Amino acid sequence: MSILTYIFGWPLLAALALILVPRNYRVILRVVALLATFVPMVLAIKMFCQFQDGLPGYQFEQQIPWVASLGISYHVGADGLNVGLILMGAVVAFAAACCSFEIQAREKEFYILLLVMTGGILGAFASLDLFFFYFLHELALVPTFIMIGVWGRGERKNYATFQITLYLSAGALIALIGLIALYLQSGANTFDIPKLIKHAQASPLAASAQNFIFPLLLFGFGILVSLWPFHTWAPLGYGSAPSPTAMLHAGVLKKFGLYGLIRIALPLLPQAAQHWMQILAWLCLGNILYVGWVAMRQKDLNLLIGNSSVAHMGFIFLGIASLNLIGVTGAVVIMVAHGFLAALTFGLSGYLYRQTGTLEMSQLGGLCRQLPFIGSALLMAALAGSGLPGFANFVGEVTVFFGAWKVFPCATIWALWGALLIGALYMLRAMRKVLHGPVPEQWAKATDANLWRKLPYALLLVSLLMFGFFPRLLTDKITPDVEKIVKMVQGETLAAGSIRVSRVQFGVPPNYGREQATAFDRMNSSNACPLQVSGATPEITSGTRVLHDISGPVLATTTTFN
């Protein structure tokens, strides 16, 4: 049995076991929750260390047929795209369980939901079957709504619960329509992602189908990730959520949509992806600039952190939009780094709230003197969020900028301005208000974290610094598989009808006027009548030749259309 099955299976089994534990056995509830997240973390670290860079295919793979008639199977595996996300998710889940001591009411239900949420999202990252990929995400998403509504804080927690439920349910529904359409239009009769990709390479979807499905996936997944302008649910939702819930959702669950775009949408819908990336590159500036400006106006620390989290999603979208190796690699690195950072900042803000009863920055001050460890950790988190070298966030962001500059120089300049000026301004100004200055009298009795309470924050900080100082631990694993995705999107092979076409050449000098010659290499086709090649009219879209619907007879192995 694959180690991945154990990684996401332990939390789900522990959630079932907690149903049998009486609610007054508080110590047992907490111990089970800690063990059920600690064991997957250890297994994830072991898996990450055993992962061999650059091997073809998937590692730690396991596949069990389930509904053969529909092509559904239990299929898990790890490659460069998800190995870092699974590690990050397991570490954040353990840190969230450690921070759950703030929950004092209905602990049994809370820990059950926390474990279901953990198992669901780790399983979604590990899944290579579209059915389980979506189902496990929904399994992780539903507890979020309940946890905010029952254990949330603030006067607007009910409104935040309704808002996040409506937005994320709508996003999940739109994405589901896109995935079902992808299954039906592909003709592969399987939900298995590797088989779908292989089938799409041999028989690509028609341009009309791609242009219909891709925006469904882009905006469905985009809503789940808080893509501007569908982002308003996130800051208030995180500000109202209990700390462990915000840590898991903002840090881990939020990356599902980004991972889905890279894993599914780009390789299966390459032509539409190239068309929509120009739009995505400008939409992501809404995250970076507009949400950054909103963060500058916040007076509540949690709302500032929530808006900062949404703003950082813009850098990931910019890396994806670049559609080149360095940009998409940087996007995956930021996904991992931001998971650690979001969990760290929401965990620390939760500790401050328990000590002071407020997160209004005007009422705080001098807490770095009163709470030296918590204050120092919060300052380091702010510096990481500002892109300071030495943290993993810097590695991802600078890589994204290098990749995006080649394709979107204007958008990259605005993104750089947002990162270097706006992001640094609101984070450092918040740290000045919260950590420096005189200590208000009412916080004189606030106590710093003891050794056990320091563990989750130290673990997340070490993770950020480790991948910041040694980025090749992550990038060497990511790059080979990102390169495959990029080649699928920008590859030299195109489909013309049912004929596989490659090496499209435009060899006629420009002084020949409107005449252009296109050479086609004919390959095998499953079509019973392969004597028509569709598409002899060339068009350039984002540097890639796209073929349209003009038919011509295939006269030889290589046929030239003028």
Side-chain angles (χ1 to χ4, degrees), residues 421-444:
L421 184 62
I422 298 177
L425 180 61
Y426 65 69
M427 289 304 294
L428 295 180
R429 188 169 64 178
M431 293 306 102
R432 183 192 65 188
K433 292 181 178 180
V434 174
L435 302 179
H436 300 284
V439 181
E441 294 182 4
Q442 61 266 39
W443 316 137

Side-chain angles (χ1 to χ4, degrees), residues 131-464:
F131 176 84
F132 285 99
F133 174 78
Y134 185 84
F135 168 75
L136 290 169
H137 169 260
E138 293 303 294
L139 187 67
L141 186 61
V142 172
T144 305
F145 311 145
I146 302 173
M147 294 165 87
I148 297 176
V150 177
W151 293 276
R153 57 186 180 227
E155 298 178 355
R156 304 182 68 191
K157 75 170 186 176
N158 290 331
Y159 174 75
T161 303
F162 284 118
Q163 187 183 45
I164 195 172
T165 302
L166 290 174
Y167 267 92
L168 297 190
S169 297
L173 179 60
I174 294 171
L176 177 61
I177 295 172
L179 294 176
I180 293 175
L182 183 62
Y183 169 79
L184 296 175
Q185 291 293 323
S186 68
N189 195 33
T190 181
F191 282 89
D192 189 74
I193 296 175
K195 291 180 180 178
L196 280 171
I197 293 175
K198 185 176 180 180
H199 185 272
Q201 287 181 290
S203 303
L205 273 71
S208 58
Q210 292 193 37
N211 290 329
F212 169 73
I213 298 171
F214 190 86
L216 292 174
L217 297 181
L218 175 61
F219 291 107
F221 286 141
I223 292 172
L224 298 177
V225 186
S226 64
L227 173 66
W228 184 88
F230 313 105
H231 68 284
T232 54
W233 61 266
L236 182 59
Y238 296 147
S240 303
S243 300
T245 306
M247 293 170 69
L248 263 179
H249 194 283
V252 187
L253 192 57
K254 200 175 185 181
K255 308 305 182 294
F256 171 83
L258 299 163
Y259 174 67
L261 284 175
I262 299 174
R263 171 71 80 191
I264 298 171
L266 295 187
L268 291 174
L269 309 165
Q271 182 177 332
Q274 294 180 33
H275 172 74
W276 280 92
M277 288 304 104
Q278 184 79 29
I279 299 172
L280 181 62
W282 290 103
L283 284 178
C284 74
L285 291 182
N287 286 73
I288 298 171
L289 299 177
Y290 175 78
V291 181
W293 286 326
V294 172
M296 292 174 62
R297 299 292 298 171
Q298 298 305 312
K299 300 178 181 180
D300 182 277
L301 180 62
N302 244 20
L303 291 178
L304 183 144
I305 295 173
N307 280 283
S308 174
S309 175
V310 174
H312 278 84
M313 295 300 100
F315 300 115
I316 304 176
F317 279 118
L318 182 62
I320 295 174
S322 70
L323 289 183
N324 56 43
L325 177 60
I326 188 170
V328 180
T329 298
V332 179
V333 172
I334 298 179
M335 288 164 63
V336 176
H338 181 266
F340 292 126
L341 177 62
L344 177 62
T345 50
F346 280 113
L348 291 169
S349 70
Y351 187 91
L352 291 179
Y353 183 81
R354 290 190 299 274
Q355 291 294 316
T356 63
T358 182
L359 288 175
E360 286 291 327
M361 291 184 285
S362 61
Q363 300 181 25
L364 302 174
L367 292 181
C368 199
R369 186 182 302 110
Q370 191 70 20
L371 311 171
F373 174 82
I374 295 297
S376 300
L378 186 59
L379 180 60
M380 293 178 72
L383 294 175
S386 301
L388 185 72
F391 294 95
N393 305 77
F394 169 79
V395 176
E397 289 176 15
V398 74
T399 307
V400 163
F401 291 144
F402 279 127
W405 178 261
K406 299 179 181 180
V407 189
F408 307 112
C410 184
T412 304
I413 291 173
W414 284 104
L416 277 166
W417 186 68
L420 298 177
L421 184 62
I422 298 177
L425 180 61
Y426 65 69
M427 289 304 294
L428 295 180
R429 188 169 64 178
M431 293 306 102
R432 183 192 65 188
K433 292 181 178 180
V434 174
L435 302 179
H436 300 284
V439 181
E441 294 182 4
Q442 61 266 39
W443 316 137
K445 294 183 179 180
T447 57
D448 203 14
N450 57 30
L451 183 61
W452 170 249
R453 298 287 186 257
K454 292 177 182 177
L455 175 62
Y457 313 126
L459 182 64
L460 295 169
L461 270 175
V462 168
S463 300
L464 283 172

